[in-house]
Amino acid sequence: QVQLVESGGGLVQAGGSLRLSCVASGSISSIGTMGWYRQAPGKQRQLVALITSGASTEYADSVKGRFTISRNNAANMVALQMNSLKPEDTAVYYCQADITRTRQVGVFGYWGRGTQVTVSS
């Protein structure tokens, strides 16, 4: 069994900062790309940022220059540092990881339960 546990969500004023963390646990052989997605009410889930196993990163245009994704492979952890937050950043943020389990062939995409981020104006 594999699960992703998120932390760091909450309410913050516009212009403030927040750091989200996500830790994968269970019978894990390896973790490939990890990412953060968000979904605002009435909108589809969108990619916010991703980071490959080699630490290459990609960001949505809306967060470039404000958000930073990082990972700690030894800790099976991915983090999202969010600075200069705007009300439009308000959404449920989801952690995602491509994981190969021990004694398993192939990769499966796992998702966290989501954590609410609310930016007040």
Side-chain angles (χ1 to χ4, degrees), residues 18-38:
L18 209 59
R19 186 175 190 269
L20 306 182
S21 296
C22 173
V23 177
S25 62
S27 54
I28 297 171
S29 178
S30 63
I31 302 179
T33 299
M34 307 180 80
W36 289 94
Y37 294 72
R38 68 186 182 189

Side-chain angles (χ1 to χ4, degrees), residues 4 22 24 31-35 37 78 95-99 107-112:
L4 304 182
C22 173
I31 302 179
T33 299
M34 307 180 80
Y37 294 72
V78 62
C95 173
Q96 192 276 329
D98 297 332
I99 297 175
V107 180
F108 187 86
Y110 290 86
W111 291 86

Side-chain angles (χ1 to χ4, degrees), residues 64-76:
K64 286 186 65 176
R66 300 188 297 121
F67 291 9
T68 302
I69 189 170
S70 61
R71 67 190 289 165
N72 182 328
N73 291 332
N76 292 336

Side-chain angles (χ1 to χ4, degrees), residues 35-38 45-50 58-60 62:
W36 289 94
Y37 294 72
R38 68 186 182 189
R45 189 172 301 183
Q46 67 169 143
L47 174 68
V48 176
L50 65 80
E58 299 282 351
Y59 297 91
S62 59

Side-chain angles (χ1 to χ4, degrees), residues 51-114:
I51 183 166
T52 68
S53 59
S56 296
T57 59
E58 299 282 351
Y59 297 91
D61 288 341
S62 59
V63 308
K64 286 186 65 176
R66 300 188 297 121
F67 291 9
T68 302
I69 189 170
S70 61
R71 67 190 289 165
N72 182 328
N73 291 332
N76 292 336
M77 186 270 286
V78 62
L80 184 69
Q81 179 66 45
M82 305 184 293
N83 299 326
S84 302
L85 283 162
K86 306 174 180 179
E88 50 263 46
D89 294 319
T90 296
V92 177
Y93 283 69
Y94 298 90
C95 173
Q96 192 276 329
D98 297 332
I99 297 175
T100 298
R101 297 176 63 183
T102 55
R103 300 175 302 280
Q104 174 182 291
V105 175
V107 180
F108 187 86
Y110 290 86
W111 291 86
R113 295 181 178 88

